Structures are given as structure tokens and as C-alpha cells.
Amino acid sequence: LVEQSVNVALTVAETAYFMEKGEIRFRGPTSELLERPDVLRSVFLEGAATDGGPTANGNGRRRTTPSPEREPAPPNDAADTVLEVQGLTKAFGGIRATNDVDFSLARGEILGFIGPNGAGKTTLFDQISGFLVPDAGRIFLGGLDVTGAGPDSRARLGLGRSFQDARLFPSMTVTDTIKMALERRLPLRDPIAAALHLPEIQETERALDATVDDLVELMGLQSFADKFVGELSTGSRRIVDLACIVAHEPDVILFDEPSSGIAQRETEALGPLLRRIRASTGASLLVIEHDMPLITGISDRLIALDLGTVIADGSPRDVVSHPLVVSAYLGTNDAAISRSGGN
């Protein structure tokens, strides 16, 4: 059984293996895992409270995730709000995936979302980006009500979205992939003019190449520019996917677990990259992430979800130490404690 919920795992399991980034941090009876809150908190919460500082693992070694220099959070007044969610609710059968969720996003702000699996984070993003229709609530993008708009309309209004799996053309080079993403910004789309290589087309192509070069440099993809996407690692493909999103010049970008499935070294490079994207584009970022040092290191503010409900909203340090957040991650389930032989 692979399970993120400590309560569920300890209720059904006799032996526990606790892993982080490919390393076994604990192995033994589940009753002993309950007696090692240092291991649980170091992975889920404790390392986050130090804004990406070193965290101890079960073998006494320490893992360090560099944290970029923190900037003050931007003001969050009504005039500076680029995205607002009011009472967003979505149910599947009798289960409320999101339950009356409210928040606003300021211009230039990085807002992180945390919570255990099943907390409703991706469902929330699917509603914001138009892939799911909410049962109740409103969504405002740039002051416009986009609750009934589709994903394409929201994209044209300045909303960008990344997914956990980057679906790119494997037979295209990195440069051509990014150039394809810039198609919507072409001022001239005349196929006859393109076939005849008229001066206007040549000028457009030169401007397009310059923009691609800028994006390749911004994303640190210089050494991969001429490689085929299918030859890249998962982490490198993720960066190409982000470059394609930035190419659309969005005002708000949603990142759904950008560190999912990538190596620790690539994860450590994500924090500076996301801040660089914010600094160079002026975009506001919404980020779902399970890597606590990463999400607390880049976020101006954190929102914690559990069972579709917002349980904490504030500074990263305050949110990860909030009692409800600790309970959501580490659990206080009597069945788990009894099953594992705890007192």
C-alpha cells in the first residue's frame, strides 16, 4: 500500500516504510513510527517552518533545499487583485471536493496551496481554469466574472495553467516547441505570404526567434535548445512546459505540483526559477506543492486545504505550524493509534 495519509496507512499496515525523494527515512513497525514525530514533521511540516532550511532525516543526515531571498508580499487591496474566488463549491456524489472556498490573489503575489492528498487542491485549480464547472461560487479574473467561461476564454484573458504531466510533442526540438507556443502572438498569419517569404513574414520570424531566445535564457534551457523533447528528463520537460506557458504572457499562472516526479536537484532549481518568472513577467502565481521547503521558500502566503475546506491562510511559518494543518498531515485518528498499538 502506497498512501500519503498517515491515518489510513497506520490503520491497515503492520510495517511502515517512510520515504522522501527516493530515500527511506524510516522502516519498522507502525507503532514505532507513531513514536517518531520528528520524522513525520521533518518531511511534512518541520522543514517548512525554517523556510527551506536543513531537515534531519531518520539516519541523522540532513537535507538542505536552498531558499531564494524572500521579498515582501505585495499589498492585497481590491484595486490590486487579479484573481478572486468566492464561495467555490464542487461535489462529486456526496463528497464535497471544494467547500465554500474564498481567497484573493494580489498582483505579483505567489500564493501556495498545501494539504494532504484528497484535500481538493487540483479540483480547485480545475474550477479556476475552467475545466470543471463549480456547483456554487464565483470566479473573477482581472475584475471580470469568468465563472461561466471555458478554458480557452480564460487563457485569452490572461490565465495560464500547468499540469502534473507535461504533454509536449516528443519529436519537436525545445526551440520549435516554444516557437509553437508563440503562435498566438504572431501579428501576421497569412499562409500565402509565408509561402512566398515576403518581407513582413521574415521580420516576424526574426522577432519570433528573438523571443524564443529570451525564453530559453530565462528558463535556463540553453544547453537543451536543439534537443528533441523526447530526449529530455522529466524535470527538463517540465521546464519546457513552463516556458510554453510563459510564452502566452499570462497575468496569472497556476502550477500544479511542479516538483512532481523530478529529482531533488531539479526541485531545488525550481524555487529560483519560479521567482525569476514572477520577476520577469510580473505574473501572479498559484502553486500547489507537496515539497514543503520549496513551497514555503517561494510563497508570500500559504493556504492549507483539508477535505475541500480552507483550514489556514497566512504566512508560510504560521500556516505550517497551525494545529489544524498539523492534524491534517500527521493525524489524530483514534483508529490508527489503536491499530498500531499506541497509547
Side-chain angles (χ1 to χ4, degrees):
L1 171 70
V2 175
E3 178 57 56
Q4 187 185 42
S5 170
V6 177
N7 276 337
V8 172
L10 299 192
T11 299
V12 300
E14 298 175 351
T15 302
Y17 283 75
F18 203 86
M19 298 185 68
E20 183 194 21
K21 294 295 179 183
E23 179 183 8
I24 295 177
R25 305 276 298 277
F26 170 89
R27 69 184 73 188
T30 54
S31 57
E32 293 183 10
L33 179 58
L34 282 174
E35 297 171 358
R36 291 292 304 277
D38 58 315
V39 174
L40 298 177
R41 291 183 64 91
S42 70
V43 173
F44 286 125
L45 301 169
E46 195 70 22
T50 60
D51 290 341
T55 58
N57 67 21
N59 298 321
R61 297 192 297 270
R62 304 180 77 80
R63 179 174 77 92
T64 302
T65 301
S67 173
E69 184 175 345
R70 181 177 297 281
E71 303 169 8
N76 197 4
D77 54 48
D80 206 40
T81 297
V82 293
L83 176 70
E84 185 174 3
V85 168
Q86 298 178 355
L88 216 56
T89 300
K90 181 66 179 180
F92 298 98
I95 305 298
R96 286 199 173 190
T98 56
N99 182 26
D100 198 24
V101 175
D102 291 298
F103 71 87
S104 61
L105 178 69
R107 190 175 307 280
E109 182 181 21
I110 300 179
L111 176 57
F113 285 85
I114 64 172
N117 282 348
K121 304 181 297 295
T122 297
T123 300
L124 176 64
F125 272 29
D126 285 344
Q127 292 172 86
I128 294 172
S129 54
F131 290 93
L132 277 178
V133 178
D135 297 331
R138 309 284 289 278
I139 303 167
F140 296 88
L141 179 63
L144 299 175
D145 189 341
V146 297
T147 309
D152 56 330
S153 298
R154 301 185 196 197
R156 285 191 291 269
L157 289 172
L159 185 69
R161 165 79 188 270
S162 77
F163 294 86
Q164 293 182 24
D165 295 321
R167 297 184 179 181
L168 304 172
F169 298 105
S171 59
M172 294 178 65
T173 66
V174 169
T175 296
D176 289 339
T177 300
I178 298 175
K179 188 178 293 187
M180 179 71 73
L182 289 165
E183 188 272 339
R184 63 176 292 186
R185 292 168 54 180
L186 292 177
L188 185 62
R189 305 187 186 188
D190 188 341
I192 297 178
L196 297 175
H197 297 285
L198 296 182
E200 295 87 348
I201 290 294
Q202 296 179 31
E203 182 179 347
T204 296
E205 288 291 340
R206 285 193 293 269
L208 198 63
D209 289 339
T211 303
V212 171
D213 290 341
D214 290 341
L215 285 170
V216 166
E217 182 178 358
L218 171 67
M219 310 301 286
L221 292 168
Q222 295 93 328
S223 59
F224 305 106
D226 297 323
K227 291 185 178 295
F228 293 107
V229 169
E231 299 174 343
L232 304 181
S233 68
T234 301
S236 297
R237 288 199 303 272
R238 185 71 48 79
I239 302 305
V240 176
D241 180 47
L242 300 187
C244 293
I245 295 170
V246 174
H248 294 167
E249 297 183 327
D251 297 317
V252 178
I253 308 177
L254 282 61
F255 295 99
D256 192 349
E257 294 190 36
S259 75
S260 175
I262 67 176
Q264 177 62 32
R265 184 179 63 180
E266 294 170 319
T267 298
E268 292 171 353
L270 271 177
L273 175 60
L274 293 177
R275 283 194 172 272
R276 196 158 66 242
I277 290 173
R278 192 263 296 271
S280 63
T281 65
S284 304
L285 311 183
L286 296 179
V287 186
I288 293 173
E289 186 52 66
H290 285 295
D291 189 298
M292 285 295 185
L294 171 61
I295 192 64
T296 56
I298 65 172
S299 297
D300 300 306
R301 184 163 57 101
L302 273 185
I303 289 178
L305 293 172
D306 187 32
L307 300 178
T309 301
V310 174
I311 58 174
D313 181 350
S315 71
R317 183 176 296 275
D318 290 342
V319 169
V320 298
S321 60
H322 194 286
L324 291 178
V325 177
V326 174
S327 175
Y329 274 99
L330 306 188
T332 56
N333 187 296
D334 291 339
I337 296 174
S338 175
R339 168 68 179 79
S340 302
N343 294 321

